[in-house]
Amino acid sequence: MGIRRLAVLGTAVVMGLTATVTTASADTGGDVDPAVVQAALDRMAKDGVQGVQVRIVDDGETLVLRSGTARLNSQRPVPLDGRFRVGSVTKTFVSTVVLQLVDEGKVGLDEPVTRYLPGLVDDRITVRMMLQHTSGLFNYTNALLRDPESFVRERFRHYSAEQLLEIGTSRPLDFEPGTDWSYSNTNYILAGMLIEEVSGQSWERAVERRILRPLGLRDTRTGGIVPQGPHAHGYMTAWGKPVDVTAMNSSVAGAAGAMISTTADLDRFLDALLSGELLPASLLAQMRTTVDDYGLGLGRSELPCGTVAWGHDGGIPGYVTVTMSTADTSTRMIMSVTSAPTPGAADGLTDVLAEVFCS
């Protein structure tokens, strides 16, 4: 998704908190001015987020910065190598696996999904429509994430993919398949089921075998109740007070958003994907062919200066993630925010993007 959708996605599921600002440590990164980025991060932390960490790679130089604290009522800084829930960035991993199956001749991009999963969805919905959010399938999270209080009460409930898909398909299509675009997590629950049916492995196992192990992404997990290793806590406001929602059953997000990672691992993944390590050039081109700035699990963002960046953002209660890279991967940025961006905090993010991609 483009950055224009970030605030909408994040604030839909997480409420902001006032944070104490802590100074970051950093390497020197290319032409990016660390002081400008740090000031923007501090602005975000002062204006509503609990904590933020960012990794920037510019012409081979790495800059790692942070602001805010790892936990409410604590002075402990956000860990620079901290794990966090990546939300919908999971979709880029899942789409990559589906496209690898296309490359192997096991899946056809323009074949109906029902060729592989008979009877589950409208026969007109193709694999491409599923990956690109042009299927018209109702977004099941609109029914589940009704309000913060409901989420807090039910956050340890386990959902099967079949249950989530049933929620998404129990409502009428939002539009005729292929005629419009609308972001729907139901598409990627379906994609996870497709991977399992075609490969004989769960989407989690397929992502581990095809992406995490080959790239050495040792700090990335396909889900979990609590992020393992150093991590900042995520919060949302419920009943008028902040509630720690770091621990949750991520099955509610499934193949649409259950993964946990680090800025270093996500940077390695995005670099490998856009550099052609994971997909042949023809399928990477398909992945970057967009409708409403969205390709096949990969979003396009054109910044005011004209620079085009590729990546995905994601929101899940307590965490918001942004991944962006130029097409040649010479400049990349991975950011994790705990608690939702407020309008002012979003301005801080805009300042970071301007410094990274437009300076």
Side-chain angles (χ1 to χ4, degrees):
M1 291 168 287
I3 210 65
R4 62 191 174 86
R5 298 188 182 96
L6 174 65
V8 174
L9 176 60
T11 55
V13 293
V14 200
M15 303 299 175
L17 296 170
T18 301
T20 301
V21 176
T22 46
T23 304
S25 61
D27 299 324
T28 301
D31 295 328
V32 176
D33 187 339
V36 172
V37 176
Q38 186 64 59
L41 299 185
D42 291 348
R43 179 180 179 184
M44 294 174 71
K46 287 177 180 177
D47 199 11
V49 304
Q50 181 64 33
V52 56
Q53 59 170 310
V54 66
R55 177 176 298 269
I56 298 162
V57 179
D58 184 36
D59 291 331
E61 298 293 329
T62 301
L63 174 66
V64 183
L65 295 166
R66 64 187 170 191
S67 193
T69 62
R71 197 165 190 167
L72 190 64
N73 300 321
S74 169
Q75 294 301 309
R76 183 166 62 88
V78 175
L80 292 174
D81 61 346
R83 283 67 166 166
F84 49 86
R85 298 191 186 279
V86 308
S88 288
V89 178
T90 302
K91 293 179 175 68
T92 310
F93 287 85
V94 170
S95 180
T96 299
V97 171
V98 173
L99 292 174
Q100 288 177 342
L101 293 171
V102 171
D103 184 47
E104 294 163 10
K106 298 175 181 176
V107 172
L109 257 182
D110 295 305
E111 291 292 329
V113 173
T114 51
R115 174 178 174 182
Y116 313 100
L117 296 168
L120 291 188
V121 294
D122 191 296
D123 290 338
R124 295 170 293 174
I125 296 173
T126 66
V127 174
R128 185 189 302 274
M129 293 174 193
M130 173 188 72
L131 296 178
Q132 195 153 40
H133 298 297
T134 57
S135 69
L137 287 170
F138 170 78
N139 185 1
Y140 77 90
T141 54
N142 288 345
L144 281 183
L145 300 178
R146 302 181 302 279
D147 55 75
E149 291 76 18
S150 296
F151 173 78
V152 171
R153 283 193 298 264
E154 300 173 13
R155 71 185 186 277
F156 294 111
R157 179 178 173 181
H158 178 81
Y159 292 89
S160 67
E162 290 76 12
Q163 287 175 310
L164 298 177
L165 182 65
E166 184 178 359
I167 295 170
T169 56
S170 66
R171 308 290 184 91
L173 291 173
D174 291 337
F175 49 83
E176 295 297 297
T179 64
D180 204 348
W181 185 94
S182 182
Y183 193 84
S184 174
N185 289 301
T186 307
N187 287 307
Y188 277 78
I189 297 300
L190 188 62
M193 297 173 71
L194 173 67
I195 289 170
E196 182 165 3
E197 179 64 27
V198 172
S199 72
Q201 297 179 321
S202 67
W203 74 266
E204 295 98 331
R205 174 62 177 151
V207 166
E208 289 170 3
R209 185 175 71 83
R210 291 170 173 266
I211 300 175
L212 305 188
R213 290 184 182 179
L215 296 182
L217 307 185
R218 296 180 179 85
D219 295 323
T220 300
R221 302 288 181 270
T222 52
I225 300 297
V226 179
Q228 298 299 307
H231 62 273
H233 286 239
Y235 299 86
M236 65 191 307
T237 299
W239 301 288
K241 63 182 180 180
V243 177
D244 190 328
V245 291
T246 308
M248 61 173 286
N249 189 324
S250 59
S251 66
V252 69
M259 291 181 68
I260 295 169
S261 191
T262 63
T263 60
D265 275 9
L266 289 183
D267 177 68
R268 172 72 180 111
F269 168 64
L270 191 58
D271 185 26
L273 176 62
L274 295 177
S275 297
E277 291 184 45
L278 297 173
L279 294 171
S282 60
L283 284 174
L284 185 56
Q286 294 281 349
M287 197 177 202
R288 290 170 50 187
T289 300
T290 64
V291 174
D292 197 21
D293 286 336
Y294 196 93
L296 306 182
L298 193 66
R300 178 185 185 276
S301 296
E302 183 170 353
L303 300 173
C305 62
T307 298
V308 172
W310 296 89
H312 212 294
D313 49 53
I316 192 167
Y319 298 87
V320 173
T321 303
V322 183
T323 71
M324 297 181 73
S325 173
T326 53
D328 64 3
T329 76
S330 61
T331 304
R332 307 185 300 274
M333 188 207 74
I334 311 295
M335 179 182 287
S336 170
V337 179
T338 47
S339 303
T342 62
D347 289 342
L349 173 58
T350 299
D351 290 347
V352 173
L353 295 178
E355 179 61 25
V356 173
F357 293 101
C358 297
S359 62

